[in-house]
Amino acid sequence: MFNFVWGVGFVLVNFVLFLICYRMFGKQGLYAWVGVATVLANIQVVKTIDMFGLVMTLGNTMYGTIYLTTDLLNEKYGEKEAKKAVWFGFFTLIMTIIIMQMAMKFTPQESDIGQSSLETIFGLLPRIALGSLTAYLISQFLDVRIYTYLKKVFSARNQLWIRNNGSTGISQLVDSFVFCTIAFAGVYDWNVWLQIFLTTYGIKFVISIASTPVLYIARNFEFKS
């Protein structure tokens, strides 16, 4: 029960910080959020937790806000800006992988206390990052494409929830399958893998629905040119 209650608070904190970031820094804040969220989500995913008897990984909330961000960019600034943010997140993750893998190769001093912790977190990152990078590119560009299509079909201002949840629901299913297959197939037995896949998608989809009011709020923010 603690994990569930804490998780609800965790989701709310993510949404509040997202709105603050956009309110303070505008469109540039959205790009910054994508970069930070991409890195943090891939660090958090190393940790597995139990909720209601199911095994799930962290990182889903933060990763879900990336879809929120690209949908907001697409809604207010167009498809080109949304794709630009996707590439920015892709570069940020690659940069993190390269820098941290090089950092871990330094020979630690005898009194060093950080090397083992870094290896625990970032030593697993290459495979996780490969899964994330592949899933990220496929699902994010799919999300942008579907959102653009839905924006034409359901163009009314009050149909934002259809555009958001429609594009995110489909693209996150693809994302979860690709990521879990590359990152965890063979690492866990298939029963655990299936639990991680189902809970990963389930949480992402719930977060997508929960983020809809946040998207409506953010859409109404006005900035001086």
Side-chain angles (χ1 to χ4, degrees):
M1 181 58 71
F2 171 79
N3 279 347
F4 174 74
V5 175
W6 190 256
V8 171
F10 184 67
V11 170
L12 292 175
V13 168
N14 275 262
F15 287 161
V16 170
L17 290 175
F18 169 81
L19 289 173
I20 292 173
C21 186
Y22 183 42
R23 179 71 269 179
M24 291 183 65
F25 305 108
K27 183 168 67 174
Q28 288 71 29
L30 296 180
Y31 291 124
W33 185 271
V34 168
V36 172
T38 304
V39 174
L40 289 182
N42 280 275
I43 293 175
Q44 292 174 15
V45 79
V46 175
K47 182 171 181 175
T48 57
I49 63 172
D50 178 271
M51 190 176 293
F52 302 121
L54 298 174
V55 179
M56 59 185 69
T57 63
L58 291 181
N60 296 315
T61 299
M62 182 60 77
Y63 194 72
T65 63
I66 300 175
Y67 290 90
L68 169 63
T69 308
T70 54
D71 284 354
L72 178 59
L73 281 166
N74 202 337
E75 178 72 17
K76 294 194 69 174
Y77 307 103
E79 181 180 359
K80 183 178 179 181
E81 295 296 333
K83 288 182 176 179
K84 191 177 184 181
V86 173
W87 282 118
F88 181 71
F90 182 76
F91 170 78
T92 303
L93 186 54
I94 288 181
M95 177 189 70
T96 302
I97 295 170
I98 293 173
I99 290 176
M100 292 310 300
Q101 294 305 306
M102 291 185 68
M104 288 192 298
K105 291 298 182 182
F106 283 99
T107 302
Q109 202 268 342
E110 292 182 359
S111 61
D112 174 79
I113 60 172
Q115 181 70 14
S116 61
S117 298
L118 290 174
E119 289 176 351
T120 298
I121 298 174
F122 294 102
L124 295 174
L125 190 58
R127 179 170 179 173
I128 290 175
L130 175 62
S132 181
L133 284 170
T134 305
Y136 176 87
L137 281 180
I138 293 174
S139 66
Q140 287 291 338
F141 280 116
L142 178 63
D143 179 70
V144 172
R145 181 63 64 86
I146 295 175
Y147 191 95
T148 300
Y149 171 77
L150 293 177
K151 196 175 179 181
K152 296 176 181 177
V153 178
F154 302 97
S155 57
R157 185 172 175 82
N158 63 355
Q159 292 177 321
L160 173 60
W161 66 274
I162 300 177
R163 301 191 287 272
N164 173 43
N165 293 302
S167 62
T168 302
I170 297 172
S171 57
Q172 284 186 343
L173 179 63
V174 174
D175 175 272
S176 299
F177 179 78
V178 173
F179 172 75
C180 288
T181 299
I182 295 175
F184 299 128
V187 177
Y188 301 107
D189 65 53
W190 286 108
N191 182 52
V192 174
W193 180 90
L194 183 60
Q195 287 186 49
I196 292 176
F197 166 67
L198 292 176
T199 55
T200 295
Y201 176 67
I203 291 173
K204 286 178 180 177
F205 188 68
V206 168
I207 291 172
S208 171
I209 295 175
S211 70
T212 302
V214 179
L215 186 58
Y216 273 88
I217 293 171
R219 183 180 64 174
N220 292 325
F221 286 172
E222 298 292 340
F223 302 93
K224 295 180 180 179
S225 57

